[in-house]
Amino acid sequence: MRSARMGRLAGMVGTWLLLSGFYDAQRIALAQSQAPVGRQSGGELLEFPSFGPVPGSDDTRMGGNPGAFDGGFSSPDIGIIGGTRRVGRVPHTRRPARVAAAPSLARPSALQLPSPLPNFGISPIAPEQTEAELTSMVDDEGPPDGLTLDAAIERMMAANLDIIALRHEIPQADADILTAGLRTNPLIYFDTQFLPYTPFSPSRPGGPTQYDINITYPVDVTHKRQARIRVARTAKSVLEAQFQDVIRRQINSLCKAFIELQAARINSMAAETAVREQQKVLDQARRRAAGGGKEAVQESLDRLAVTLDKARDSLIEARDALNDAQEALAVLIGAPPEETETIMPRGSLRDKGPTAPALEELTRLALSHRPDLVAARRGIGRAQAEVALQKANRLDDVFLFYDPFTYQDLSSQKLKSATSWVVAVTVPLPIYNRNQGNIARAHCNLSQTQVELASLERRVASEVRLAEREYRSSRDLLVRTEKTTLANQHKLTVRNAKAFAEGKLNEDDYLSHLEDETEAIRGFREALIRHRRSMVDLNSAVGLRILP
């Protein structure tokens, strides 16, 4: 018996140790998951990802809210308007935005090239071909029924799920304004006094028994309700500017994804053209060897076959890149999966509009129109409203007491019962200022918001300078590549094509020259894409679409 009890005791102790170790491990894992980013542990840098707001929570999904204030212990009745703590939401009864009909995206899923096929790579160039024709190879605007950039932006605004989710922040702010304007309800209660344990009598006088109806109405003498409404309205204005900034960044992402799709489409077409032309070179080399016009060298044919295989591998990679670009754009515009492979861009990569204004004008436009700057400036007004609200919270409400009916029962004294009424006022004595800490904190928050605005203005001006510098640099590189590099390469290409057609140049040497031509044209395409991206970055830095 004793040994059995000792065995059960040992088992219980082991189980307890096992469970305690498990819970300790759970606590350690929880502490690590809640540790700040960059925490040092054991000489290693531990970084934990940010998963964003919890789904279904009241936290805003637009990042920091300029001018927000955590009111501490003496926050108003409805909580902090528009900050990280939110009140219950009023159901939004507006009809959901209708998704605009998508432009025609009908196109076979397999990549089909237009006829006649434009020359993007290594095909022989006729001597009479001009430089303008050479550079116009990248000007193919895509299928006529393709998706334009403006149509993509319009569709993203209507169907992008992230934007639709963020748009719900606006009616939530309207609900905050509604809640901020609610008045405190009055109180009504009944009471009776002087109830005897035994009936009153001349020998046991008392009373008389009294019955009251009391109404207490709170009076906001410091106008806290109006201050809360001002805070909620300024919070909504900040939120609207933040939403516009989200749209600015989403449009920037969309434009870059659209450019990536254009570039992937051109690269895919160039890769397919390279496969076709290298197949022609290999076929021509085999015919020459079979016809006896030239001694058949198996090694040379093998090299041409290897080059063809590499071109086919490049074509597969180019088509994969095209599919990836289609997928990225489809997510942004909210296209269903079955439409992804049919999305083809419509539009030229060329800069066909006027040049950008001077740097001073661009900086002025950015400081006036950037939505994040507008939100920061409105945040100062919100912080000022928070200061006024905290000052209004120094004094509690005054309570007006009204007793419209008091009944005194005098029947025990053989007298007629009496009725009366009472009016009273309850005023809190402001001996102790119980909100001075929140007032000081609100003033500090105002100063912090002003400093953040000055810092943001500096960053915006720097972003404009960097974007403008990249725009000018990429434009100069594009002009230099087109006017010098391609012009010189064109002359070499014409001579080599003529020599190859006359049989004066063998296949290996001709392919080597064509590789140089391909590199030159690829460099021109990359310069063109870089300049197009710089235009998008400049638009985003300024906050306006000043370039097409």
Side-chain angles (χ1 to χ4, degrees):
M1 292 291 294
R2 183 176 181 180
S3 60
R5 286 196 299 269
M6 291 298 293
R8 287 196 297 270
L9 179 60
M12 293 173 61
V13 171
T15 303
W16 177 80
L17 291 175
L18 180 62
L19 291 178
S20 63
F22 173 77
Y23 288 125
D24 288 340
Q26 292 295 316
R27 286 195 296 270
I28 293 173
L30 179 61
Q32 290 178 348
S33 65
Q34 295 176 348
V37 176
R39 176 182 175 185
Q40 296 287 344
S41 175
E44 297 181 356
L45 183 64
L46 301 181
E47 296 186 0
F48 302 98
S50 175
F51 297 100
V54 178
S57 68
D58 291 334
D59 294 341
T60 178
R61 285 162 170 77
M62 293 191 191
N65 217 327
F69 172 76
D70 187 355
F73 296 101
S74 298
S75 58
D77 297 338
I78 62 170
I80 302 303
I81 305 300
T84 56
R85 292 190 291 130
R86 292 284 186 95
V87 298
R89 302 298 184 191
V90 175
H92 184 42
T93 57
R94 295 181 182 177
R95 294 181 179 178
R98 298 182 61 185
V99 177
S104 176
L105 300 177
R107 187 168 176 84
S109 57
L111 181 64
Q112 295 184 2
L113 302 180
S115 181
L117 182 69
N119 188 344
F120 292 95
I122 66 168
S123 60
I125 305 295
E128 63 272 9
Q129 189 174 16
T130 63
E131 297 179 15
E133 292 173 333
L134 183 66
T135 57
S136 65
M137 295 175 183
V138 297
D139 289 335
D140 181 78
E141 296 189 354
D145 58 346
L147 183 68
T148 64
L149 179 58
D150 291 334
I153 293 176
E154 182 180 355
R155 184 167 180 180
M156 181 189 70
M157 294 298 298
N160 184 275
L161 297 180
D162 293 330
I163 293 179
I164 293 175
L166 289 176
R167 193 179 286 122
H168 285 81
E169 297 275 351
I170 306 301
Q172 289 175 8
D174 290 330
D176 289 338
I177 297 175
L178 176 62
T179 306
L182 298 178
R183 301 177 184 272
T184 305
N185 288 319
L187 303 176
I188 182 171
Y189 64 93
F190 304 89
D191 72 81
T192 179
Q193 303 179 41
F194 308 112
L195 292 175
Y197 288 99
T198 59
F200 295 132
S201 64
S203 61
R204 295 175 58 86
T209 302
Q210 181 174 309
Y211 302 92
D212 301 303
I213 299 177
N214 304 298
I215 299 175
T216 302
Y217 188 84
V219 180
D220 183 8
V221 295
T222 57
H223 306 291
K224 293 186 286 293
R225 173 177 167 270
Q226 289 82 352
R228 290 197 302 266
I229 293 176
R230 284 194 296 271
V231 171
R233 286 177 176 171
T234 54
K236 179 186 176 182
S237 66
V238 170
L239 198 64
E240 290 172 340
Q242 285 185 307
F243 181 72
Q244 292 299 323
D245 189 57
V246 171
I247 297 301
R248 175 184 70 90
R249 288 184 273 116
Q250 284 287 87
I251 290 178
N252 180 62
S253 300
L254 175 67
C255 291
K256 289 185 176 180
F258 192 85
I259 293 173
E260 291 295 333
L261 181 57
Q262 288 179 303
R265 174 181 171 273
I266 292 177
N267 290 336
S268 181
M269 296 175 68
E272 186 158 341
T273 305
V275 171
R276 292 181 181 178
E277 295 304 323
Q278 289 181 4
Q279 182 67 57
K280 291 180 181 178
V281 173
L282 180 59
D283 294 341
Q284 186 173 359
R286 288 172 177 172
R287 286 195 299 270
R288 287 182 179 181
K294 190 175 183 181
E295 184 180 357
V297 180
Q298 187 63 35
E299 183 179 356
S300 177
L301 294 178
D302 291 340
R303 285 199 300 270
L304 292 177
V306 170
T307 303
L308 178 59
D309 291 337
K310 291 181 179 179
R312 288 170 177 169
D313 294 339
S314 299
L315 175 60
I316 295 175
E317 294 178 359
R319 285 182 172 176
D320 290 340
L322 176 62
N323 293 334
D324 293 343
Q326 289 174 322
E327 185 71 31
L329 185 63
V331 171
L332 289 174
I333 66 176
E338 57 271 15
E339 289 186 13
T340 300
E341 294 185 355
T342 66
I343 298 177
M344 284 293 173
R346 173 68 179 175
S348 175
L349 286 170
R350 287 270 189 185
D351 181 7
K352 298 182 179 180
T355 59
L359 177 60
E360 293 76 12
E361 178 65 15
L362 293 174
T363 304
R364 186 192 66 80
L365 291 173
L367 295 178
S368 302
H369 296 88
R370 273 278 292 259
D372 49 350
L373 277 176
V374 174
R377 294 191 182 100
R378 293 179 181 179
I380 293 179
R382 174 182 177 177
Q384 293 171 343
E386 291 281 7
V387 172
L389 175 60
Q390 297 306 320
K391 289 182 177 179
N393 284 336
R394 289 181 298 181
L395 185 65
D396 294 332
D397 290 344
V398 172
F399 291 93
L400 177 63
F401 178 84
Y402 175 54
D403 187 349
F405 181 77
T406 297
Y407 178 80
Q408 293 176 315
D409 186 6
L410 301 176
S411 59
S412 62
Q413 303 177 19
K414 308 300 183 181
L415 298 175
K416 185 177 180 180
S417 299
T419 58
S420 61
W421 60 281
V422 179
V423 173
V425 176
T426 301
V427 180
L429 296 178
I431 299 177
Y432 306 105
N433 185 354
R434 293 179 55 82
N435 210 42
Q436 55 187 338
N438 286 337
I439 295 175
R441 184 167 179 169
H443 279 291
C444 183
N445 180 65
L446 174 59
S447 300
Q448 182 184 26
T449 306
Q450 292 170 340
V451 173
E452 290 174 349
L453 172 61
S455 176
L456 182 59
E457 288 177 343
R458 280 190 173 188
R459 291 200 302 271
V460 168
S462 176
E463 289 178 12
V464 173
R465 287 195 298 270
L466 292 175
E468 193 271 344
R469 187 182 309 160
E470 171 64 16
Y471 170 78
R472 306 288 179 187
S473 176
S474 62
R475 187 185 61 180
D476 294 342
L477 175 62
L478 178 61
V479 172
R480 186 169 59 253
T481 301
E482 184 174 2
K483 299 299 182 182
T484 303
T485 306
L486 282 184
N488 295 332
Q489 184 63 45
H490 171 71
K491 298 176 183 178
L492 293 175
T493 301
V494 170
R495 288 200 298 267
N496 293 328
K498 184 177 180 181
F500 180 71
E502 294 175 354
K504 299 178 181 180
L505 193 66
N506 60 34
E507 292 81 3
D508 291 340
D509 293 337
Y510 182 60
L511 282 179
S512 177
H513 290 299
L514 290 184
E515 288 178 0
D516 295 337
E517 176 200 357
T518 302
E519 288 297 324
I521 297 178
R522 182 184 296 113
F524 171 68
R525 289 203 307 266
E526 292 176 354
L528 184 61
I529 294 170
R530 174 187 171 186
H531 182 59
R532 192 72 181 92
R533 288 172 180 162
S534 71
M535 296 168 60
V536 172
D537 289 336
L538 188 59
N539 287 341
S540 179
V542 176
L544 294 173
R545 193 174 179 182
I546 59 177
L547 297 172

